[in-house]
Amino acid sequence: MTTSTAPYGNLTGPTALRRLVTAPTAGPLAALVLACAFFSLTTDQFLSGGNFSLIIQQVMVVGALAVGQTLIILTAGIDLSCGAVMAFGSIVIARMAAQGTVPPLVAIVLGLAVCTGFGLLNGLLVKLIPLPPFIVTLGMLNVAFALTHIYSNEQTVTDLPGALTFLGTTFPLGGTDVTYGSLVALALFGVFAYLLSSTSWGRHVYALGNSPEAARLNGIRTGRLTIGLYALAGLVYGLAALLLISRTGVGDPQAGQTDNLDSITAVVLGGTSLFGGRGSVLGSLVGALIVGVFRNGLQLMGVASIYQTLITGVLVILAVTVDQISRKRTR
């Protein structure tokens, strides 16, 4: 007899509907649909292609960060440095390309390498010393934040070459304008959703989150896997840096200061357990869209931004509460 380590098990047979309903993403998806229905009834502008395109553009950077954050949280870790690492990567890319030090494509590769290096260092400190992920990434947040301001000289980098801002350009689709960056962000979710749900690597990630010792005893190289996950998350943060540049058109040293918390919010709202081993990247996409829809809808209703933050906080607490109740019932 074999058991599946995939997040939802085998969705075939007479219990398929029940499994879909009880999947971690079912609740968040229902919340997203209800939120869209509510704002469609209360505002005239919400239910339009242009507004939905705007929502996706607004969440694509945090959504990309949430992909990397999901990889870490699935292993019962957490990454507080993701926003600062992204900001440093964006400054490296923007400044090198703007100064003409290297060609734009080389600047992008170097920026991705820098972000990957931060992730790799996080993983090495977490696994080899070992140190708690919270402490390691909190320290790395400050390191990346300081390096961003030192390297940028506190100056916003402007006059960027077109290769860096290309993903911010739009093309018509279904009567509205969609950015290429939005498609890249959605593709990123699709790739990692497949890797986590349909490969042995993905099953190992879930096994590591469920029980590191059991995973080790089953032959999984937990140390190498943990370090690789942090490095891979760093690479994803580098892609988020490129999306950030394409959206803003500049290299801003002040960017990303709260994006680490926003990425955690998206992951938690998407049904991924902070205790590891349960959740999905697609759930994080739903979580990011929930935050985007609420902020957009409340703004259209004229609600002050401070109340948007208040509601987001309440949603996070509710999501973690539901997770805790669910864990107790399955023990």
Side-chain angles (χ1 to χ4, degrees):
M1 180 177 181
T2 59
T3 56
S4 173
T5 55
Y8 309 123
N10 181 21
L11 295 180
T12 60
T15 60
L17 180 60
R18 181 180 177 182
R19 288 173 178 171
L20 285 172
V21 172
T22 58
T25 54
L29 187 59
L32 177 61
V33 172
L34 290 175
C36 289
F38 173 77
F39 290 120
S40 298
L41 295 173
T42 54
T43 62
D44 296 331
Q45 304 94 334
F46 182 82
L47 197 60
S48 67
N51 190 56
F52 282 126
S53 176
L54 176 62
I55 292 173
I56 294 175
Q57 292 175 46
Q58 290 172 339
V59 304
M60 69 179 185
V61 174
V62 171
L65 288 178
V67 172
Q69 189 74 252
T70 303
L71 297 178
I72 304 303
I73 292 181
L74 281 174
T75 65
I78 198 164
D79 193 347
L80 299 178
S81 68
C82 60
V85 170
M86 175 192 68
F88 183 53
S90 70
I91 288 297
V92 170
I93 295 172
R95 192 171 185 193
M96 284 187 172
Q99 290 178 342
T101 307
V102 295
L105 291 181
V106 175
I108 292 173
V109 171
L110 291 175
L112 295 177
V114 166
C115 292
T116 304
F118 269 97
L120 177 61
L121 184 56
N122 280 338
L124 290 171
L125 292 173
V126 166
K127 191 61 186 179
L128 297 185
I129 291 186
L131 293 173
F134 181 91
I135 298 300
V136 170
T137 58
L138 178 61
M140 205 60 69
L141 180 156
N142 290 288
V143 171
F145 178 82
L147 289 176
T148 299
H149 287 265
I150 292 170
Y151 186 66
S152 66
N153 293 320
E154 306 283 353
Q155 300 295 318
T156 299
V157 183
T158 57
D159 299 324
L160 301 181
L164 299 189
T165 59
F166 170 75
L167 293 178
T169 57
T170 62
F171 64 95
L173 179 66
T176 187
D177 291 330
V178 178
T179 65
Y180 290 101
S182 299
L183 296 184
V184 170
L186 292 175
L188 194 62
F189 278 101
V191 168
F192 279 94
Y194 171 79
L195 291 176
L196 286 171
S197 64
S198 303
T199 67
S200 60
W201 175 82
R203 291 190 288 274
H204 291 173
V205 172
Y206 283 100
L208 176 63
N210 279 314
S211 175
E213 182 62 17
R216 185 187 67 81
L217 293 174
N218 277 280
I220 298 175
R221 297 181 176 179
T222 56
R224 179 181 297 183
L225 180 59
T226 299
I227 294 170
L229 283 170
Y230 276 90
L232 183 58
L235 175 61
V236 174
Y237 304 154
L239 295 175
L242 185 58
L243 292 174
L244 175 66
I245 293 172
S246 69
R247 174 160 171 74
T248 61
V250 298
D252 183 7
Q254 304 296 333
Q257 294 188 18
T258 62
D259 284 350
N260 57 341
L261 301 180
D262 288 342
S263 70
I264 296 171
T265 298
V267 174
V268 172
L269 288 179
T272 297
S273 173
L274 289 172
F275 302 95
R278 182 175 184 270
S280 71
V281 168
L282 292 181
S284 298
L285 171 60
V286 174
L289 289 174
I290 289 174
V291 175
V293 164
F294 266 91
R295 289 179 176 174
N296 176 269
L298 292 173
Q299 186 175 14
L300 291 176
M301 292 176 64
V303 177
S305 60
I306 190 62
Y307 292 103
Q308 300 175 29
T309 303
L310 173 65
I311 292 174
T312 302
V314 172
L315 289 174
V316 170
I317 294 173
L318 288 175
V320 175
T321 301
V322 170
D323 178 49
Q324 282 281 47
I325 295 173
S326 176
R327 281 174 58 84
K328 290 180 180 179
R329 286 181 176 178
T330 55
R331 285 176 181 175

